[in-house]
């Protein structure tokens, strides 16, 4: 294992509470960061619905699973891994977690209609090819997160699954883990609605670059990593 990947995995484990907190905030869940930290220490957090705590558990399990498969050199950008992660992160949410959808879905707040389910396998293979042809891992990862959100491969958990797959690429190549900071969710949601409508990626790429640079000052987006 390379030193950069060792460091990235160490940071992911160390910042697990923050990564899980950002994921649950992305879903509008009610936990604070201290509550997430307490929960991950194995202590029950009072005052919350059992269903919310169950959902929080799945976010933590998904991150833990991702870190483990990267550590074991088992992460690959494949449909199998994406389905595996979705089965965890969207457990008890999606109609059929862990499988590409076999029906129509809608995205609230936009007139954009995700593609017909019959095209999803071909679209994912196209995404795999694009990832392989993209020089910079950071750019490839963001494109994955955007594509999986817009094409809605699953009945639920698409943004989170896309971000997990993005982080699988990041961690495998020694880039630090990243999710959308809770304080930037309004900006993220506004820009994503525009992205759904147009499919234009530049604004979202700049957003991710800005947020990542704030989290990790000095990172070079021109590096081959």
């Amino acid at each position: 294992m390379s030193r950069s990947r060792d460091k990235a995995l160490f940071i992911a484990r160390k910042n697990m509470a923050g990564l899980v907190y950002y994921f649950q905030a992305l879903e509008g869940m009610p936990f604070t960061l201290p509550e997430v930290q307490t929960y991950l220490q194995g202590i029950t957090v009072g005052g919350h619905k059992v269903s919310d705590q169950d959902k929080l558990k799945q976010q933590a399990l998904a991150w833990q699973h991702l870190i483990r498969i990267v550590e074991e050199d088992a992460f690959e950008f494949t449909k199998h891994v994406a389905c595996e992660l979705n089965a965890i992160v969207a457990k008890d949410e999606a109609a059929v977690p862990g499988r590409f959808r076999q029906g129509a879905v809608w995205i609230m707040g936009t007139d954009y209609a995700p593609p017909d389910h019959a095209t999803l396998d071909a679209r994912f293979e196209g995404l795999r090819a694009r990832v392989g042809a993209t020089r910079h891992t950071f750019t490839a990862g963001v494109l994955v997160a955007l594509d999986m959100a817009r094409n809605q491969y699953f009945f639920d958990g698409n943004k989170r699954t896309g971000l997990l797959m993005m982080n699988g690429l990041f961690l495998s190549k020694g880039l630090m883990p990243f999710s959308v900071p809770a304080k930037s969710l309004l900006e993220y949601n506004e820009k994503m609605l525009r992205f759904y409508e147009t499919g234009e990626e530049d604004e979202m790429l700049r957003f991710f670059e800005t947020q990542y640079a704030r989290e990790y000052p000095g990172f070079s987006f021109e590096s081959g990593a």
Side-chain angles (χ1 to χ4, degrees):
M1 185 181 294
S2 69
R3 291 179 63 185
S4 61
R5 191 168 68 154
D6 271 342
K7 181 179 179 181
L9 287 165
F10 172 79
I11 295 298
R13 289 190 295 267
K14 185 177 179 63
N15 192 36
M16 176 66 69
L19 294 169
V20 173
Y21 169 66
Y22 288 161
F23 255 37
Q24 65 92 36
L26 192 64
E27 293 300 294
M29 292 173 63
F31 296 93
T32 65
L33 178 56
E35 286 176 330
V36 173
Q37 292 169 324
T38 300
Y39 178 82
L40 292 178
Q41 291 169 356
I43 302 171
T44 302
V45 178
H48 291 285
K49 296 177 181 177
V50 172
S51 59
D52 284 338
Q53 295 209 43
D54 288 343
K55 189 173 178 179
L56 180 65
K57 175 185 176 182
Q58 296 308 125
Q59 315 314 300
L61 289 174
W63 272 105
Q64 290 164 0
H65 181 73
L66 176 66
I67 291 169
R68 182 167 59 253
I69 61 177
V70 172
E71 286 176 331
E72 296 172 352
D73 291 322
F75 177 83
E76 297 179 315
F77 191 80
T78 62
K79 176 181 176 180
H80 173 77
V81 172
C83 289
E84 194 173 72
L85 290 167
N86 182 264
I88 301 171
V89 82
K91 182 177 180 289
D92 299 326
E93 296 179 56
V96 187
R99 292 179 58 186
F100 277 14
R101 60 181 170 87
Q102 292 293 311
V105 292
W106 297 266
I107 300 176
M108 289 183 61
T110 175
D111 292 331
Y112 163 74
D116 185 273
H117 67 86
T119 70
L120 294 178
D121 280 325
R123 289 175 183 274
F124 193 83
E125 284 306 306
L127 176 59
R128 276 170 44 84
R130 192 178 184 196
V131 167
T134 301
R135 177 183 175 189
H136 302 305
T137 301
F138 181 86
T139 301
V142 174
L143 293 178
V144 164
L146 297 179
D147 180 277
M148 295 191 73
R150 191 168 192 266
N151 282 324
Q152 296 279 299
Y153 292 94
F154 303 96
F155 277 115
D156 208 337
N158 289 282
K159 286 187 290 188
R160 286 167 289 161
T161 304
L163 289 168
L164 287 165
M165 293 295 282
M166 176 187 82
N167 276 282
L169 293 174
F170 283 9
L171 294 172
S172 296
K173 296 296 185 180
L175 271 65
M176 298 298 109
F178 179 76
S179 191
V180 181
K183 63 184 178 182
S184 300
L185 279 180
L186 177 60
E187 182 183 1
Y188 168 77
N189 288 328
E190 290 173 344
K191 292 181 186 302
M192 281 297 289
L193 285 177
R194 288 196 290 272
F195 167 66
Y196 289 140
E197 292 285 352
T198 66
E200 295 293 330
E201 299 159 336
D202 288 350
E203 183 180 37
M204 290 306 304
L205 279 165
R206 290 194 299 271
F207 171 81
F208 273 87
E209 287 178 357
T210 298
Q211 299 298 320
Y212 195 91
R214 287 175 181 167
E215 193 83 7
Y216 303 109
F219 174 76
S220 173
F221 295 98
E222 298 303 317
S223 68

